[in-house]
């Protein structure tokens, strides 16, 4: 793209580590997750600027440079560090984003609470992000804002710099209007999203929810729709849609609605698991897990990821199928959230209690049914754990997309294995060869697990071949190309008339 890209994402695109008493900025060790996914775009533009927050003592001049230039394997780029104090971080992110917005986005309105919310701080921090982006953006640059905790940035950018093209990507679900509208700030959030040139979502259901919400709250919106494109499923599933909105016309402006799921990096994953080191790691995991049937589940500690419901289903399975005692093991990797989020701390405690109960009740001196890890593992270990597993069990109650399921398919790289996937993960709209389950239904969870355990070898490998073909075709490079083509539409001189 013959222009500049300004990425606004709350986290810094590198790790800060102390080496010999000196602070060193290091490329994230793990090549998966949101940061490396977004950083791929650096190699597609003339110049890239990344805006993120950095902790700074309250009331003091920050002891770091605001703008630095870095170069790593993704290319050269500038990072603008927005100083936020501990109170701002807590109020903007840990409390308002995670305790008020997150439950709404994921359709858990009963967990939504405004008692604790600091909307004024949230707005102020969003304004600061917008100012930082505008201050450092070249004329006509594309400003690409990521995720709901920066929902108010577009409106401020539009006011400050009408010359910029504003794109926004939701990594999360977008709820139906009757859930979204419980928020007293619904109009402010909607107006900000309507200030964008492009609003992005992973799957058609989220795009349709957003557009229906906009139509309901604002007169004069004209919606243009088209059939849902291949390879997204259009009927018969919990989140199926047959049509999707391509753009909205509103107040003389055109807003592109972009709907496309992120892919993973199958080549990198296959290379890692099939290397000499990868094969040895996989064999070690298999040996250490010491089970005939290995089930793997990988996620973050978050009630939306459905880990408790999964543990309850695993417990029912052990009761229902006593012949599996001593033969099956669940490797549960659920990484703890950052400190300061009460809601996640409580969730982790409940998970640990359930694991303790199940291991205590069913375990013997030579076999524990669950191996739990709440600390992050190296990337190589994660993908080799996928390769070692017979079943990947990914059953979030809600998930914008879910990349773990795609990584599992890539790590298997054609070897047989079963993916059990929640219908409420965005990825389910692409991966219909998984065993799809409804995590809100005990019967569905039980039947799905039984189906996976009992699936004949031929069916396993046929399903896996089809899943792999999809994950390979619609990989991260495909998504990157797709987004770049959408940006090109925004920056084209001749835009279609509204
Ligand atoms: C958000 C949305 C959407 C996990 N444990 C370890 C580890 N991981 C890696 C996985 C995967 C990533 O973290 C998790 O990605 P997900 O997509 O599953 O979930 P979120 O983090 O919740 O991401 C989600 C995504 O944004 C993209 O838009 O799909 O719906 O919630 O890559 O492999 N990586 C390492 N050690 C671990 O212990 N190295």
């Amino acid at each position: 793209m013959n222009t500049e890209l300004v990425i606004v994402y709350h986290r810094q695109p590198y790790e800060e580590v102390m080496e010999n008493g000196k602070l060193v900025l290091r490329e994230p060790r793990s090549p998966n997750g949101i940061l490396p996914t977004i950083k791929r775009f650096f190699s597609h533009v003339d110049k890239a600027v990344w805006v993120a927050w950095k902790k700074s003592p309250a009331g003091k001049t920050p002891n770091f440079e605001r703008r630095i230039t870095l170069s790593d394997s993704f290319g050269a780029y500038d990072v603008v560090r927005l100083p936020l104090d501990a109170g701002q971080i807590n109020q903007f992110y840990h409390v308002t984003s995670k305790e008020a917005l997150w439950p709404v986005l994921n359709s858990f309105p009963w967990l939504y609470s405004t008692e604790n919310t600091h909307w004024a701080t949230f707005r102020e921090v969003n304004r600061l992000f917008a100012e930082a982006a505008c201050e450092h953006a070249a004329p006509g640059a594309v400003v690409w804002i990521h995720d709901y905790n920066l929902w108010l940035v577009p409106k401020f950018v539009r006011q400050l710099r009408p010359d910029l093209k504003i794109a926004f990507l939701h990594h999360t679900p977008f709820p139906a209007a009757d859930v979204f509208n419980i928020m007293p700030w619904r109009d402010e959030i909607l107006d900000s999203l309507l200030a964008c040139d492009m609003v992005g979502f992973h799957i058609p259901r989220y795009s349709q929810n957003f557009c229906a919400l906009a139509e309901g709250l604002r007169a004069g919106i004209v919606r243009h729709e088209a059939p849902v494109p291949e390879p997204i499923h259009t009927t018969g599933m919990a989140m199926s849609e047959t049509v999707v909105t391509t753009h909205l016309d509103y107040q003389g402006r055109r807003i592109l609605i972009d709907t496309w799921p992120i892919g993973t990096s199958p080549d990198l994953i296959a290379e890692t698991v099939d290397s000499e080191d990868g094969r040895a790691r996989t064999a070690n995991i298999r040996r250490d897990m010491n089970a005939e049937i290995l089930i793997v589940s990988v996620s973050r500690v978050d009630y939306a990821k459905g880990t408790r419901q999964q543990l309850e289903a695993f417990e029912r399975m052990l009761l229902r199928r006593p012949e599996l005692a001593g033969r099956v093991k669940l490797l549960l990797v659920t990484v703890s959230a950052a400190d300061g989020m009460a809601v996640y701390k409580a969730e982790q405690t409940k998970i640990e209690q359930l694991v303790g109960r199940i291991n205590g009740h069913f375990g013997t001196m030579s076999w524990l049914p669950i191996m739990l890890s709440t600390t992050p593992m190296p990337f190589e270990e994660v993908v080799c754990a996928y390769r070692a597993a017979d079943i990947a069990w990914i059953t979030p109650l809600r998930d914008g997309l879910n990349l773990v399921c795609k990584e599992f398919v890539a790590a298997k790289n054609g070897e047989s294995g079963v993916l059990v996937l929640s219908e409420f993960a965005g990825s389910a709209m692409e991966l219909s060869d998984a065993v799809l389950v409804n995590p809100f239904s005990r019967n569905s969870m039980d039947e799905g697990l039984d189906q996976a355990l009992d699936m004949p070898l031929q069916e396993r490998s046929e399903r896996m071949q089809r899943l792999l073909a999809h994950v390979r075709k619609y990989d991260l490079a495909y998504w990157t190309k797709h987004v770049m083509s959408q940006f090109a539409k925004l920056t084209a001189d001749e835009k279609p008339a509204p």
Side-chain angles (χ1 to χ4, degrees):
M1 190 166 71
N2 186 21
T3 183
E4 185 181 271
L5 178 62
V6 181
I7 288 169
V8 190
Y9 182 62
H10 71 111
R11 290 213 170 85
Q12 300 182 91
Y14 47 75
E15 290 168 3
E16 292 188 327
V17 282
M18 291 303 278
E19 270 177 17
N20 304 325
K22 228 180 127 200
L23 187 69
V24 177
L25 307 184
R26 196 177 62 191
E27 183 170 328
R29 286 243 168 102
S30 197
N32 53 350
I34 292 183
L35 288 182
T37 299
I38 311 175
K39 282 176 80 171
R40 280 178 68 94
F41 285 81
F42 292 170
S43 58
H44 293 267
V45 292
D46 285 349
K47 188 153 180 46
V49 179
W50 183 293
V51 183
W53 61 263
K54 181 168 163 64
K55 197 169 171 183
S56 180
K60 293 200 178 139
T61 310
N63 59 354
F64 53 82
E65 281 179 66
R66 285 268 304 209
R67 182 172 179 151
I68 53 171
T69 301
L70 291 179
S71 179
D72 58 25
S73 67
F74 293 86
Y77 56 97
D78 285 5
V79 182
V80 174
R81 285 105 52 99
L82 174 69
L84 292 186
D85 66 46
Q88 285 173 310
I89 296 164
N90 183 259
Q91 294 182 358
F92 144 75
Y93 188 65
H94 296 161
V95 178
T96 308
S97 297
K98 286 296 175 185
E99 292 186 14
L101 306 184
W102 186 252
V104 171
L105 278 163
N106 288 285
S107 300
F108 294 93
W110 56 93
L111 297 180
Y112 156 82
S113 153
T114 47
E115 274 173 29
N116 229 346
T117 301
H118 306 274
W119 191 250
T121 308
F122 183 86
R123 185 192 290 122
E124 171 66 4
V125 169
N126 273 245
R127 190 181 61 75
L128 295 171
F129 267 99
E131 281 177 3
C134 291
E135 192 184 332
H136 297 275
V142 173
V143 178
W144 194 22
I145 303 148
H146 289 259
D147 245 355
Y148 66 100
N149 44 51
L150 301 177
W151 256 339
L152 302 183
V153 173
K155 185 86 189 257
F156 290 120
V157 172
R158 176 68 68 206
Q159 286 164 358
L160 292 165
R161 289 284 302 274
D163 63 299
L164 300 176
K165 302 293 172 207
I166 310 170
F168 192 99
L169 177 63
H170 291 88
H171 290 266
T172 60
F174 196 93
D178 45 5
V179 175
F180 186 91
N181 284 340
I182 67 175
M183 292 191 290
W185 325 287
R186 63 192 185 201
D187 288 305
E188 193 173 351
I189 299 166
L190 176 63
D191 282 337
S192 184
L193 290 173
L194 290 174
C196 293
D197 295 288
M198 169 173 147
V199 185
F201 302 91
H202 282 315
I203 59 166
R205 168 62 56 83
Y206 309 152
S207 304
Q208 295 301 80
N209 280 348
F210 168 69
C211 294
L213 170 90
E215 241 177 358
L217 291 181
R218 294 288 171 276
I221 288 198
V222 181
R223 213 168 144 178
H224 302 262
E225 292 182 322
V228 166
E230 286 268 356
I232 297 167
H233 290 274
T234 52
T235 45
M237 294 164 72
M239 297 202 288
S240 302
E241 294 283 340
T242 50
V243 293
V244 65
T245 305
T246 53
H247 51 280
L248 300 175
D249 288 331
Y250 179 55
Q251 294 184 340
R253 288 178 45 251
R254 177 154 285 191
I255 304 161
L256 190 66
I257 304 298
D258 179 52
T259 308
W260 201 259
I262 296 184
T264 186
S265 304
D267 290 337
L268 173 72
I269 294 171
E271 211 176 280
T272 310
V273 291
D274 286 325
S275 66
E276 204 177 310
D277 176 65
R279 286 177 190 276
R281 275 180 196 267
T282 304
N284 287 345
I285 294 170
R286 202 70 221 199
R287 190 200 56 219
D288 293 346
M289 289 298 115
N290 189 25
E292 199 183 307
I293 306 162
L294 179 61
I295 304 176
V296 69
S297 167
V298 175
S299 63
R300 285 182 293 102
V301 171
D302 188 329
Y303 52 85
K305 296 283 183 183
T307 308
R308 271 190 287 145
Q309 288 75 3
Q310 206 169 46
L311 285 166
E312 284 162 5
F314 191 71
E315 186 175 42
R316 290 195 299 275
M317 183 207 74
L318 292 172
L319 287 169
R320 189 171 67 249
R321 301 183 64 153
E323 77 279 8
L324 293 175
R327 294 172 50 210
V328 68
K329 179 157 283 180
L330 172 62
L331 170 57
L332 179 62
V333 181
T334 177
V335 177
S336 304
D339 283 345
M341 287 187 263
V343 59
Y344 290 150
K345 200 159 179 235
E347 188 63 24
Q348 185 169 331
T349 303
K350 287 180 201 153
I351 290 169
E352 287 164 353
Q353 283 169 348
L354 260 173
V355 170
R357 179 173 95 192
I358 297 169
N359 277 344
H361 183 81
F362 294 93
T364 64
M365 293 296 272
S366 57
W367 170 69
L368 283 181
I370 304 171
M371 154 82 203
L372 170 69
S373 171
T374 55
T375 47
M377 292 179 174
F379 167 74
E380 294 77 9
E381 201 72 8
V382 174
V383 291
C384 290
Y386 298 145
R387 176 65 165 253
D390 300 287
I391 297 171
W393 199 26
I394 317 290
T395 57
L397 299 173
R398 306 268 172 202
D399 213 337
L401 190 65
N402 192 286
L403 292 172
V404 170
C405 53
K406 297 185 179 191
E407 293 166 357
F408 168 70
V409 172
K412 279 295 181 184
N413 199 20
E415 284 210 349
S416 111
V418 187
L419 172 62
V420 181
L421 179 61
S422 164
E423 294 182 88
F424 294 95
S427 301
M429 301 312 300
E430 306 169 76
L431 304 178
S432 60
D433 277 296
V435 172
L436 295 176
V437 298
N438 174 358
F440 294 91
S441 155
R442 288 169 163 229
N443 283 346
S444 174
M445 285 289 276
D446 296 351
E447 284 166 14
L449 201 48
D450 284 344
Q451 190 187 342
L453 289 163
D454 301 334
M455 191 179 285
L457 193 60
Q458 185 163 351
E459 185 181 347
R460 285 177 182 229
S461 70
E462 284 169 5
R463 283 177 182 249
M464 194 48 103
Q465 289 298 343
R466 290 193 294 265
L467 288 168
L468 184 65
H470 176 93
V471 167
R472 285 202 154 281
K473 180 169 180 189
Y474 299 103
D475 64 357
L476 189 49
Y478 189 103
W479 177 73
T480 309
K481 215 168 135 198
H482 165 84
V483 175
M484 290 308 298
S485 72
Q486 297 291 54
F487 287 165
K489 289 184 196 162
L490 303 183
T491 51
D493 291 332
E494 296 277 326
K495 280 213 290 171

